[in-house]
Amino acid sequence: MLANKIAFFDSGVGGLTTLHVALQQLPNEDFIYFGDCLNAPYGVKTTEEIRNLVFDAVEFLQKHNCKAIVLACNTATSAAVNQLREKYPNLPIVGMEPAVKLAGKIHDSGRILITATDSTLRGQKLNELIHDLNMDDLVDVLSLQELVLFAEKFEFDSPALFDYLKLKLEPFNWDEYNSIVLGCTHFNYFKNQLRKFIPETVHILDGNQGTVNRLKSLIKEGEGSRQIEFYLSKKADPDYFLPFLKYLDNQ
Ligand code: DGL
């Protein structure tokens, strides 16, 4: 059997935002998407719990004939990517990290707000990255953990969502900011909604394009046709993820 598919993994529906970018740019590949929706959100769990879930997921995906695995989840990457690479030295594993480097590159003045899950924000990986880039004095951090559940529930337009965003974003003086980094793939669904609270002068950045670029650099081009096999850990309709991809098409 040829190892020919590219696997995308996330705690739930967030990684579909990364897959969505890959689908546009890799027309000759076939994909597998696994969302661990039964166990979402990961961001409120301990590192050890997240690591165990990610190991189980990658073991599952490994049985499906993959030439690369994308951890389309900042939280999973933070908790488990180093250990996974040790366990699977021959498998290209693309991790995701909040786009702090990109924010640093386009930065000319003002501060940078990094948003992510609780777990990613307290993780060593992100804190080392900020430190290594010499950006400690430039960044602020904000957990938007609840957005994960809003996305999982396909709740993109409710009063409760806007109340939450208002509560979290209104306290900031946005004149002081250059960019906001969406350091969780679930947050990418909410770019338009975030814009209602954040002026156009502030860049809204995410790591999807960087991740797809990295993936492209690691694989040999395939002979597929954008077929996608979907798997999820909870019992649901086989077409469960399609409305999410459709939602992204319309953004
Ligand atoms: N989508 C995830 C991320 O990029 C994790 C969200 C969660 O399950 O808490 O961090």
Side-chain angles (χ1 to χ4, degrees):
M1 209 164 35
L2 285 172
N4 57 9
K5 293 168 202 149
I6 300 171
F8 279 68
F9 166 68
D10 179 50
S11 62
V13 300
L16 291 169
T17 68
T18 322
L19 175 66
H20 191 254
V21 174
L23 283 167
Q24 289 158 12
Q25 298 179 22
L26 296 167
N28 300 321
E29 306 297 337
D30 290 330
F31 301 91
I32 297 185
Y33 185 88
F34 177 43
D36 190 8
C37 298
L38 183 68
N39 295 303
Y42 276 13
V44 297
K45 300 184 192 310
T46 65
T47 307
E48 169 118 22
E49 285 169 330
I50 299 166
R51 203 171 280 157
N52 289 337
L53 290 168
V54 178
F55 266 75
D56 288 350
V58 172
E59 199 174 310
F60 169 80
L61 287 168
Q62 263 287 84
K63 295 187 185 128
H64 284 77
N65 199 17
C66 308
K67 66 178 179 187
I69 292 189
V70 179
L71 295 182
C73 178
N74 298 261
T75 308
T77 303
S78 171
V81 74
N82 293 342
Q83 293 76 3
L84 275 178
R85 288 190 176 126
E86 260 169 45
K87 184 167 177 195
Y88 301 102
N90 299 319
L91 176 70
I93 299 174
V94 182
M96 280 193 93
E97 59 191 11
V100 187
K101 261 184 223 154
L102 175 62
K105 250 186 226 159
I106 65 164
H107 175 266
D108 41 22
S109 64
R111 301 188 61 73
I112 296 165
L113 182 66
I114 300 171
T115 66
T117 62
D118 297 346
S119 169
T120 302
L121 289 182
R122 65 161 192 270
Q124 198 183 349
K125 219 167 184 308
L126 176 63
N127 289 293
E128 275 177 9
L129 177 69
I130 295 169
H131 190 69
D132 291 349
L133 293 169
N134 246 324
M135 288 168 71
D136 301 80
D137 294 336
L138 206 59
V139 303
D140 300 307
V141 297
L142 173 71
S143 169
L144 291 176
Q145 181 66 56
E146 294 299 313
L147 286 187
V148 176
L149 283 181
F150 281 113
E152 288 295 317
K153 288 187 284 184
F154 203 86
E155 196 172 328
F156 298 126
D157 200 22
S158 68
L161 166 71
F162 285 103
D163 284 350
Y164 177 70
L165 289 177
K166 187 170 174 198
L167 179 79
K168 290 290 184 173
L169 301 172
E170 255 191 10
F172 287 89
N173 176 3
W174 291 104
D175 291 343
E176 290 175 3
Y177 285 87
N178 180 270
S179 55
I180 174 170
V181 173
L182 306 185
C184 167
T185 49
H186 282 78
F187 300 173
N188 297 325
Y189 286 100
F190 299 98
K191 284 186 182 163
N192 293 335
Q193 294 83 334
L194 288 162
R195 223 4 131 200
K196 295 196 192 314
F197 300 89
I198 302 171
E200 292 287 340
T201 47
V202 179
H203 305 282
I204 299 180
L205 306 176
D206 70 73
N208 279 343
Q209 186 60 58
T211 302
V212 172
N213 291 346
R214 177 79 188 129
L215 171 65
K216 282 184 196 160
S217 75
L218 289 179
I219 54 164
K220 236 175 90 188
E221 196 179 338
E223 292 175 1
S225 55
R226 285 196 277 230
Q227 307 275 349
I228 318 169
E229 278 170 33
F230 290 109
Y231 297 94
L232 74 166
S233 52
K234 71 177 182 188
K235 261 208 169 124
D237 194 286
D239 291 340
Y240 184 84
F241 291 124
L242 295 183
F244 292 91
L245 286 173
K246 203 162 202 151
Y247 177 83
L248 293 168
D249 280 341
N250 295 327
Q251 290 311 289

